[in-house]
Amino acid sequence: MLDQRIQGLMGFLRWISSRVLVIYLLFIVLILACVDLKTVEKRTKLRLLNGARPDFSEINRFQQGLGSPIDWKPYQYYFELIIKYIPAGDPVANLLLAYVYYYQHREDKAFVLLRQASAFSGDLFWPDYNLGVMYYKKGRYEEALNHLARALLADPTMTLRYMQQSIIYRQLLVSEPAGLDLSKRLSQAFSSARLLTVASLGHLKQYDRMLSLAVSAVADKDAQDKAAYFFFGAEACLQLKYFDKALLFYEQALVLDKKNPDVYPRLSRIYEAIGRREEAEGLMRVHASLIKEGPWVPYDKKIELRYF
Amino acid sequence: MLLNAFQRFCRYEPLYLIGLPFLGWVLCFWKFIFGQLPLTADAVSYFQHIGFFTDHLARGVYPLWDPFWFDGAPYHFFLRRIGDVNPLLWMIVLMKWAGISHHASYMIFLLVNYFLVMLAFYLIARMMMKDRLYAFLAYVLLMFSSWGNQLFYNYIILIFLPIIWFFYFLLSFYRDQKKGSFLGMCLCAGIILTTYIPFYFIIILGVFMIASLVFYGRQVMEFIKRLWVFVSSRRFFVSACACFLLLSCVPAVILYQESKEGAFVLPSRYGDAKESSAVAVGIDNVANGDIINNGSFDKVFSNTSLLSMGDFYIPYFFFVLLLCGLAGTLTKRICFLFAIIVVLAAITTTNAVGIHQFLYKHVFIFKFIRNIYYFFWLAILPVAVLMIVDAFRSMLQTALASSSKKGWLAYILSCHAALIFFICVQGGFNWAVLTGLVLSAVFCCYVLRHEKASWVLIVVAFMAVAVQSVQVYGHLDRRFKEKGLTGYVKYDYRTFSYVRPETAAGEIVRPEIYYSTGHYAQLSRQLDPVVFNHYLRYRLRWVDNVIDYKNHPIYLKKLEEAMSAQLNVAYVTPTKEAGDVYAVSPGAPLKTDLALNATDQLKVSHFSANALDISVRLDKRRFLVINDNYHEGWKAWVNGKQTPVLRTNGSFKGLWVPAGESVIRLRFLEPSRYMFHLCLMAVFMGVFIYWVFLMCRQKDKGGR
């Protein structure tokens, strides 16, 4: 009985050894013995990454508000691949994947990634900036304030250096015009962060801090969006009942930006209170015509997520 | 009557077995073929070079200089790339004479090439397996794999055609020592040897010969004896063939010499190569062109809808045959084919195995192959298809000989189930996959039951292959459209343009030079691209001050300033032959005198790739700068008297023109060089015609 079994087994082995299967097994053994699998793995990853690299001009245009909504999938795939292949983590990959997730309406994931990026590198301005913007948009002003404050504390020189040394940023910027001034773009983002900080303080009813920050921004000769700071300063003054200061701030806001319809009714009320009724009515007429022109996007609502 | 016609049709095997599936493939790629989707990657430059060559040939000019390639470069390198002696290129010339556009004629040329490649593959498979069903299976599997994409993605079809026909003739000659097969071998080898990369062929042939010796040593020895008998009995014919092969090597040898003398450079290809030849490739560059870097196998099972042009794809029917074939009897032939695959695969993986590094160091030809992954398309894939089909055939023979057919049927179906499971896990399952695999199961069951090849089997096999391919190539169309890849640049080869169209400031970037003259590459690297680009807009200019130029940063700075400000000065590199050519005219205007169009003072009377005739009328002796690259092969005659052509402004041509009316004639290389190339083309055409004659005579005598 046992002999029969052994003979059967031998027969089967003999049959198997004469099958094509043998050469495939031999091939696998050869691969394991001769091929440097680590090199293959490393180079395959590199190839996959290179192959997955999308054209960044579209996402860059979108970021600058120049393009319509885009197909996020290639970007998502690429940044996910980078994060998968770099176990140590790359804050820039996190930042960009979070950006993609945010516009894919996967905010929870975006928050996680940005928090990780923020923890990875305190030198980089963008993760905290984007966290601040996202919290602000969700109405969580306390958290927005914290992250915007952290972003404003970031060293612009270090951020720029970080961006210049990052391979992902180099890829992103290839499609951009040669004369792109990164430091100018960064200073714009700093200005946006400061503006959102002021707006957040307003939402948190911390009008003293709001006013002092608006005043310091107005006094800063390099600050951008001064009309917005005058407006927010005036709003703070109004809440603090500093009507004479509010009047001056609103008037200055109007000089710098005549398209802001929110200034007119407020200024009109102040004019009316101090007896300048005709001017007040005139302002209300302008306000009505501006309303007819179309919806106005407030300064803080214009601020979007960015990566350069 | 209809039945008779159908039976007659069925008797004509090539028509339905080869022609109809090929027509199916053409339908899959009709958007590329009809120009709705553009060529990409290397296919674009080959389209342009073949266009340039055949346009000139149609006009009776054999081009050895390309004035449009990076402001002038020797064209010999490109002639070696396209294989100028290939008789099929005359097809394009004939179509151009008939008024057909270059795009249409080039597409027809590509289709003919692909058809001939597939035909040779079918014939090899048929010769090997002696069964039209399995030959057909191999044929459709290779045809509907992504080999077809390569036509629109790179140039390997041009070298694959002579390679595969060489092997067909080799096998035919092995079987039956006929003159036609021998001449066919020589013709194919000759075409390959005239190209600058005969090394793919040489390596494949080497591996094939070594594997043949290992597995079929006795048969090889017998074949050598038969070959000796053939050679002894046809000494004159064999000697003529040997001379023909030696002659075929001459253009490549000339190119090699030119590449060593610095007539041209290939900076991106050369990399860190230690060879003196410009065609050599640095070892890191070879690694960039290996199978790990280029073998895109990752989408085969996961998502074929994301397939790109260079990615690998083969219908899943192939994997069914592979799995089923595992139980086939291991034959010597399967081992032989497998050995070829393993050796070539080891070479193509470069630094992951180490064989390539050894060969690169010790075998001369390995220093000249960059895209080493082409071995996959040229040999590994075709041989793998043959091996898999042969293994499947072996399995079927075992199954048919067995008493338990049900067991084998269960095995085949379980192979299908396993593959479906695997594809599902990988996320690549869809209706086309399912249909293809159901059809493949039907095919396998049918063949197990009926044994003999029939119409039904052939149709089912074709459907199993084609149904998935139609879907995959449909995705490829869509992805291509989405990406919006651009086509090619069209040049007017006949007209000399005095001024090139201005490039938008934002578009000026330092171009990555693949191939150019050495001086041009250096200048392009060192000068400000905006200045250089603006300078190059004007093809001809007069200057009065000629100063010497040396390869030194100070001179380069001066040159850049002169180019930027369009100063009335030319910097000329001194030569012994030219003597004193420098001159300074104190009263001359500050700015250079640009030739913006044809005038009484200057008019281009003749322009072609290798020649430029200019009629001029001058009040005083002036120096003409021609912004077309300098090369020692250019000679100039002013009013019939030879005048030295000087390297001007770092990289361009310049010459002194006397006062009064003059006719300047510029010619590239000696007439003997043109005669040699034209004679070589004629020899190849003659051999081709003689080969056709021999094959026809062979067929009349009852051979195949």
Side-chain angles (χ1 to χ4, degrees):
Chain A
M1 187 71 177
L2 189 68
D3 278 359
Q4 267 184 344
R5 279 187 183 172
I6 290 170
Q7 271 184 354
L9 186 68
M10 291 300 284
F12 178 73
L13 285 176
R14 219 174 295 130
W15 184 82
I16 279 284
S17 64
S18 64
R19 298 300 100 190
V20 174
L21 174 73
V22 173
I23 53 168
Y24 290 101
L25 293 175
L26 188 73
F27 187 58
I28 292 166
V29 172
L30 270 175
I31 288 175
L32 293 173
C34 306
V35 180
D36 179 357
L37 293 173
K38 277 190 180 168
T39 304
V40 174
E41 189 192 355
K42 204 170 80 182
R43 292 187 51 206
T44 305
K45 281 179 180 177
L46 200 66
R47 176 173 60 77
L48 289 175
L49 277 173
N50 285 334
R53 191 164 69 200
D55 174 11
F56 290 110
S57 56
E58 208 178 356
I59 193 172
N60 288 350
R61 274 205 307 277
F62 179 83
Q63 189 222 203
Q64 290 163 53
L66 304 171
S68 50
I70 53 176
D71 178 13
W72 296 101
K73 273 185 191 165
Y75 302 103
Q76 182 199 332
Y77 178 67
Y78 182 58
F79 296 128
E80 279 178 348
L81 214 56
I82 295 176
I83 289 170
K84 187 177 154 190
Y85 289 160
I86 306 173
D90 180 356
V92 177
N94 275 32
L95 166 74
L96 286 151
L97 185 58
Y99 184 85
V100 171
Y101 279 155
Y102 179 78
Y103 287 103
Q104 285 181 323
H105 309 294
R106 296 156 83 179
E107 288 178 17
D108 290 347
K109 285 192 165 191
F111 272 117
V112 173
L113 285 168
L114 284 175
R115 273 190 221 113
Q116 280 176 0
S118 169
F120 279 147
S121 161
D123 297 333
L124 194 60
F125 163 82
W126 299 107
D128 280 309
Y129 167 80
N130 284 327
L131 274 171
V133 175
M134 280 164 62
Y135 277 125
Y136 185 86
K137 282 178 183 285
K138 284 186 89 70
R140 292 162 66 175
Y141 302 112
E142 198 74 55
E143 285 110 319
L145 207 57
N146 286 339
H147 285 289
L148 289 167
R150 270 179 63 113
L152 287 169
L153 283 174
D155 181 355
T157 321
M158 290 300 282
T159 297
L160 276 176
R161 196 174 296 165
Y162 210 107
M163 290 166 74
Q164 280 155 357
Q165 285 173 355
S166 158
I167 294 172
I168 302 176
Y169 264 110
R170 264 182 254 163
Q171 291 171 354
L172 276 167
L173 297 172
V174 160
S175 59
E176 291 302 297
L180 178 76
D181 189 348
L182 274 182
S183 57
K184 195 178 164 190
R185 312 261 331 177
L186 189 62
S187 95
Q188 280 171 359
F190 264 85
S191 178
S192 299
R194 192 148 65 166
L195 196 69
L196 274 193
T197 308
V198 172
S200 300
L201 287 168
H203 285 293
L204 292 167
K205 301 193 186 334
Q206 296 182 21
Y207 299 117
D208 284 331
R209 280 181 69 194
M210 183 185 180
L211 180 60
S212 74
L213 209 61
V215 168
S216 68
V218 163
D220 182 357
K221 62 178 171 41
D222 296 328
Q224 293 154 4
D225 302 322
K226 284 207 174 171
Y229 290 115
F230 275 115
F231 175 71
F232 285 121
E235 295 278 279
C237 289
L238 207 62
Q239 295 297 331
L240 293 166
K241 306 207 185 317
Y242 303 154
F243 296 113
D244 48 345
K245 280 186 186 169
L247 176 70
L248 287 172
F249 273 109
Y250 277 129
E251 280 180 341
Q252 204 54 41
L254 205 58
V255 169
L256 293 172
D257 184 3
K258 290 190 172 52
K259 295 273 178 190
N260 182 355
D262 295 340
V263 179
Y264 294 93
R266 290 164 171 84
L267 193 57
S268 166
R269 274 203 297 279
I270 296 172
Y271 278 162
E272 226 171 56
I274 58 171
R276 292 161 67 176
R277 193 158 292 165
E278 267 184 39
E279 283 170 274
E281 282 170 6
L283 286 174
M284 287 314 286
R285 277 197 295 276
V286 179
H287 173 69
S289 67
L290 277 176
I291 294 294
K292 273 182 201 165
E293 272 180 24
W296 154 259
V297 184
Y299 297 116
D300 54 334
K301 297 278 188 292
K302 283 180 192 167
I303 295 169
E304 292 292 338
L305 271 68
R306 282 172 66 174
Y307 50 83
F308 74 77
Chain B
M1 192 179 160
L2 202 66
L3 192 70
N4 277 349
F6 183 71
Q7 279 172 344
R8 270 205 305 277
F9 169 79
C10 290
R11 247 180 273 140
Y12 201 62
E13 182 182 309
L15 198 70
Y16 66 89
L17 272 186
I18 300 164
L20 290 180
F22 186 76
L23 207 64
W25 179 87
V26 169
L27 289 175
C28 281
F29 283 91
W30 71 271
K31 283 185 181 166
F32 286 96
I33 293 160
F34 290 98
Q36 288 191 15
L37 294 172
L39 303 167
T40 52
D42 276 357
V44 181
S45 71
Y46 274 78
F47 170 81
Q48 287 189 174
H49 291 307
I50 288 179
F52 180 83
F53 176 63
T54 50
D55 268 4
H56 280 84
L57 224 51
R59 287 164 53 199
V61 176
Y62 184 87
L64 279 171
W65 182 261
D66 184 352
F68 301 96
W69 186 270
F70 284 108
D71 299 287
Y75 194 65
H76 189 212
F77 172 76
F78 294 120
L79 290 173
R80 300 285 62 82
R81 287 211 322 176
I82 60 178
D84 58 335
V85 294
N86 185 344
L88 286 181
L89 284 172
W90 282 99
M91 215 173 78
I92 302 179
V93 178
L94 290 174
M95 281 188 276
K96 282 185 179 172
W97 276 336
I100 298 171
S101 73
H102 176 56
H103 185 272
S105 47
Y106 185 71
M107 284 301 151
I108 294 170
F109 168 75
L110 280 186
L111 291 184
V112 169
N113 271 269
Y114 194 51
F115 178 74
L116 290 175
V117 159
M118 290 301 142
L119 177 67
F121 187 70
Y122 172 81
L123 292 173
I124 289 173
R126 176 113 202 232
M127 201 187 292
M128 204 180 92
M129 287 180 266
K130 296 182 180 67
D131 189 312
R132 67 173 183 170
L133 174 67
Y134 298 108
F136 176 77
L137 265 185
Y139 167 71
V140 286
L141 277 172
L142 186 70
M143 187 164 62
F144 282 94
S145 72
S146 48
W147 217 116
N149 302 9
Q150 307 304 310
L151 265 69
F152 314 104
Y153 184 68
N154 60 35
Y155 62 89
I156 50 171
I157 187 76
L158 298 178
I159 46 174
F160 192 42
L161 179 67
I163 289 177
I164 196 162
W165 276 100
F166 174 88
F167 280 99
Y168 168 71
F169 289 126
L170 181 65
L171 293 176
S172 302
F173 188 73
Y174 169 76
R175 207 173 59 168
D176 196 357
Q177 288 74 46
K178 294 259 171 72
K179 271 168 84 176
S181 304
F182 190 81
L183 189 64
M185 265 162 51
C186 292
L187 181 64
C188 294
I191 291 171
I192 300 164
L193 289 172
T194 56
T195 65
Y196 88 119
I197 37 170
F199 312 121
Y200 290 111
F201 165 70
I202 293 169
I203 291 164
I204 294 169
L205 183 64
V207 172
F208 176 84
M209 283 166 73
I210 293 166
S212 302
L213 270 172
V214 171
F215 289 94
Y216 298 100
R218 193 173 51 81
Q219 286 93 327
V220 170
M221 288 306 158
E222 281 171 13
F223 172 65
I224 290 171
K225 281 179 198 164
R226 292 205 299 272
L227 180 68
W228 181 246
V229 173
F230 176 83
V231 172
S232 313
S233 58
R234 293 175 181 86
R235 277 187 192 154
F236 176 74
F237 174 73
V238 174
S239 306
C241 287
C243 291
F244 169 73
L245 285 178
L246 280 174
L247 190 68
S248 307
C249 297
V250 175
V253 172
I254 294 173
L255 183 79
Y256 181 66
Q257 283 303 325
E258 286 174 347
S259 74
K260 285 181 89 166
E261 287 160 7
F264 58 85
V265 289
L266 292 132
S268 57
R269 182 188 158 92
Y270 188 79
D272 58 348
K274 305 281 185 291
E275 277 288 305
S276 54
S277 166
V279 192
V281 190
I283 192 151
D284 289 338
N285 268 2
V286 182
N288 286 336
D290 75 356
I291 196 99
I292 304 170
N293 258 22
N294 296 278
S296 305
F297 304 108
D298 14 279
K299 294 168 200 157
V300 176
F301 294 109
S302 57
N303 198 349
T304 44
S305 68
L306 291 175
L307 210 76
S308 300
M309 283 303 275
D311 293 343
F312 170 69
Y313 157 76
I314 195 158
Y316 291 164
F317 191 31
F318 174 85
F319 299 102
V320 168
L321 300 185
L322 187 149
L323 286 176
C324 294
L326 290 179
T329 310
L330 190 60
T331 61
K332 198 193 268 188
R333 191 165 62 203
I334 292 172
C335 292
F336 166 73
L337 296 173
F338 186 73
I340 293 174
I341 294 171
V342 169
V343 173
L344 288 174
I347 292 172
T348 53
T349 42
T350 60
N351 58 5
V353 174
I355 291 179
H356 177 265
Q357 276 152 320
F358 174 82
L359 292 169
Y360 183 90
K361 209 171 166 185
H362 297 101
V363 183
F364 164 76
I365 55 176
F366 279 88
K367 291 186 174 66
F368 296 89
I369 301 177
R370 184 176 63 163
N371 291 319
I372 205 149
Y373 82 100
Y374 284 164
F375 280 119
F376 175 78
W377 300 108
L378 296 174
I380 296 175
L381 181 62
V383 174
V385 170
L386 287 176
M387 192 192 92
I388 296 298
V389 174
D390 201 22
F392 176 74
R393 182 171 161 269
S394 164
M395 183 279 296
L396 275 179
Q397 280 174 345
T398 315
L400 289 169
S402 143
S403 55
S404 158
K405 276 191 184 175
K406 278 185 186 169
W408 283 101
L409 191 66
Y411 170 71
I412 288 170
L413 292 176
S414 57
C415 286
H416 281 81
L419 188 64
I420 289 173
F421 175 73
F422 180 70
I423 295 164
C424 284
V425 170
Q426 294 290 318
F429 197 76
N430 56 47
W431 65 268
V433 172
L434 181 69
T435 316
L437 290 176
V438 166
L439 284 166
S440 110
V442 170
F443 169 83
C444 294
C445 297
Y446 195 90
V447 82
L448 198 63
R449 208 172 144 196
H450 293 272
E451 298 179 29
K452 294 274 176 197
S454 72
W455 259 100
V456 181
L457 267 179
I458 285 169
V459 171
V460 172
F462 174 68
M463 293 296 287
V465 169
V467 73
Q468 197 199 343
S469 304
V470 168
Q471 192 212 27
V472 169
Y473 295 133
H475 285 306
L476 199 66
D477 280 5
R478 190 176 47 78
R479 277 175 58 74
F480 231 63
K481 250 184 285 179
E482 281 169 5
K483 279 193 167 182
L485 298 171
T486 51
Y488 54 91
V489 186
K490 202 177 176 190
Y491 293 114
D492 179 5
Y493 304 128
R494 291 164 189 249
T495 318
F496 179 85
S497 55
Y498 291 81
V499 184
R500 291 192 316 182
E502 191 159 23
T503 318
E507 289 173 21
I508 298 171
V509 286
R510 199 178 293 282
E512 194 194 341
I513 292 177
Y514 171 69
Y515 166 86
S516 76
T517 63
H519 299 303
Y520 184 85
Q522 195 182 10
L523 218 55
S524 169
R525 202 170 51 242
Q526 291 171 334
L527 290 178
D528 180 336
V530 177
V531 170
F532 195 40
N533 200 66
H534 184 64
Y535 169 79
L536 287 170
R537 278 197 72 203
Y538 307 98
R539 307 305 290 260
L540 301 171
R541 58 180 67 206
W542 292 110
V543 292
D544 300 296
N545 301 302
V546 176
I547 303 171
D548 74 326
Y549 180 79
K550 290 189 181 79
N551 195 10
H552 189 276
I554 293 171
Y555 284 89
L556 190 79
K557 199 164 182 295
K558 279 184 185 175
L559 176 64
E560 194 175 65
E561 282 166 9
M563 282 180 170
S564 176
Q566 305 278 18
L567 296 180
N568 184 6
V569 63
Y571 288 90
V572 168
T573 307
T575 55
K576 279 178 192 169
E577 298 82 31
D580 185 21
V581 292
Y582 309 111
V584 176
S585 308
L590 186 69
K591 296 273 180 181
T592 183
D593 187 1
L594 301 168
L596 301 174
N597 47 35
T599 58
D600 289 344
Q601 195 195 17
L602 183 148
K603 189 183 173 189
V604 172
S605 50
H606 171 69
F607 168 68
S608 79
N610 318 308
L612 184 68
D613 289 357
I614 309 169
S615 306
V616 296
R617 196 172 64 205
L618 296 172
D619 301 333
K620 56 177 180 178
R621 179 179 179 248
R622 296 189 88 180
F623 190 80
L624 178 66
V625 180
I626 304 164
N627 280 336
D628 182 68
N629 279 316
Y630 171 84
H631 185 284
E632 284 173 1
W634 278 100
K635 299 278 180 283
W637 290 265
V638 178
N639 298 327
K641 191 182 164 198
Q642 191 161 358
T643 307
V645 180
L646 304 160
R647 180 153 72 86
T648 306
N649 290 343
S651 177
F652 305 101
K653 289 194 273 280
L655 71 162
W656 278 107
V657 183
E661 284 193 18
S662 307
V663 175
I664 307 164
R665 283 178 67 229
L666 284 138
R667 294 289 180 270
F668 184 60
L669 297 179
E670 306 297 329
S672 57
R673 181 72 184 270
Y674 293 90
M675 282 307 294
F676 166 73
H677 285 287
L678 291 171
C679 286
L680 195 67
M681 284 174 79
V683 167
F684 267 81
M685 189 48 91
V687 171
F688 178 68
I689 292 166
Y690 182 54
W691 169 77
V692 172
F693 164 75
L694 279 180
M695 293 308 281
C696 291
R697 208 174 61 171
Q698 207 169 296
K699 204 177 174 192
D700 288 344
K701 284 182 181 174
R704 274 188 72 89

